[in-house]
Amino acid sequence: MNIKEILTRKEKDKLFLMGNEAAVRGALEAGVSVASTYPGTPSSEIGNILSVLAEEAGLYFEFSVNEKVALEVAAAAAAAGLRSFTFMKHVGLNVASDSLMSVAYTGVRGGMVILTADDPSMFSSQNEQDNRHYARLANLPLLEASNPQELKDLMKYAYHLSEEFELPVILRTTTRVSHMRGVVELGPIKKAPTKGHFDKDPQRFVPVPESARVMHRNLVEKMAEIGVLSNNSSLNHPFNRESQVGIITSGSAFNYVMDVVEEYNLPVNVLKITFSHPFPEKKVLEFMDNLEMVLVVEEVDPIMEKEVLAIVGKHHLDKAVHGKLDGTLPMIYEYSPDIVLGGVGRMMGLEMPLEDEKSSLWLPKRPATLCPGCPHRAAYFEVKKAAEELNITDVIFPTDIGCYTLGIERPYQTADYLLSMGSSIGTSCGFSKATDQTVVSFIGDSTFFHAGIPPLLNAVHNKANFVLVILDNRTTAMTGGQPHPGLPIDGMGREAPEISIPSMVKACGVEMVETINPLNVRNSRESFKKALQYEGVAVVVSQYPCMLIKGRKETGKNIVIDVQEDKCTNCDTCVLELTCPAIYTSEEGKIRIDPLMCRKCNVCVQTCPEKAIRAKRIDAENGRNKQ
């Protein structure tokens, strides 16, 4: 499918869409004027698609410097009467939460939807938090999608709900919903205005204590009204099988429940909750009226289960409630039909066949690794060698969020401590004050702009002592190659001012700043040695484009990297210390380089102690070596 079909296809047409693609179509059908994000899996594709379609669709889109700014851009647009959309992965909402709490008080004039993409089982995240807690913390309405069609439709409904009550609406997806595909029937696209107007009302939009007390009361009253709406909403509906056993579920977990119930023809009633906050107490009471026991199936935390238990206690019901809290279902990780089937069996005291027990197929795990030719690999190799040559053995390596976190793997082992985006610099401040160990921290270019500048200012002002390596591969690599302020283009592909990282570092007060090309091994190693011997904050900007965005023609046209067997002593430096995936040991015990994987970065040529690896030019016409 051509991405542009998301914009060009008409009402009643059907497309086979990923959940994130359906969210984009939903935003277009809702008439969104402003959209903003910081890229993060599993929500990244939404921004990637909007960056392509926004200009033609007549809306403004940006990759903001971080999620807090993204939310503030969307909140301001909604305060000016436009429909706005901001979206992020679950941990991104942590960054945005400061302003989230206040926009719940001030409210909005145009509709505002905040999509949070949770990541059960942590496929690409540092934690497994459940962002349904944020709806309760901020006291905002929450909708949960279970498939692409529903996600598109909920986008449109969320804007109506937002404008009816003048509140932002949180729309929760999970990795499975964001990345699953399904047939989606399209609706008409609504033409959105490009400009709004902000009518001043300080008592509403400036939450000083006197005004905030009134705002809080108004918010509570609105949520009570929305609670009535949730109880009567068709989004929360039962599937009745005339049983005395029930399952209450939501989101992607609903899909697993229905797979199990239908495949095994289980006599179980199911209540699907889509409008999940305010929790529909009346609807749940009606559902449980003739039930003896109920199983609550949800990902990740037992949020609905506690709501159901509270209802049972409040109304003195004689009902057994099962789920995570009593061990019927696992407390953590993503669910599957097998897990749900096992939970139903434990609740009903039945033996259930599990698919896992039927299959003898075992697939080996493939560890994540840096790509062939990745400039980060060279930087790690060089900084370790520089420390070794200076006889520095006790080094702490704080790291950050990005593909470079893979420095945790052997043989690099350059990831010792990680908390969140930008934490490598803040924690380096702490380690430099709390220990006498050498501290070398790593942060990516996009992450530096996102959350690295304030802690760097802190480091300089408080006279910290560590080396900071900014791994500038000219893109936001881990989430798909989105732009950031260090590039000369914006989120819609238009020309934009490029913010120089070395200049920004110097503006923060850092006096020792080196810029290196990490593929130049000797020069890079000397820069790292200089930084390691510096007293104070030293910054090395390691700048070379990500190999995934750099064309193969740019990385050594007509060049082949190979091993000269007569010189190779099988010292295994290339295999065990550099560990490029393109280099391997053959069945005959010989070192080989896969020409299809090799990106001709030449780092192995420079690091081979026996000079046994060479780059040779190939005649493009006949494939022969040029003499």
Side-chain angles (χ1 to χ4, degrees), residues 425-435 439 458 464 466:
I425 305 177
T427 57
S428 292
C429 294
F431 283 127
S432 82
K433 298 296 184 182
T435 76
V439 179
N458 182 81
F466 62 88

Side-chain angles (χ1 to χ4, degrees), residues 31 33 74-84 108-111 163 193 195-199 205:
S33 299
L82 299 178
R83 286 188 168 184
S84 69
V108 294
R109 287 184 173 130
E163 288 173 349
K195 297 292 181 182
H197 186 271
F198 178 66
D199 297 323
F205 288 109

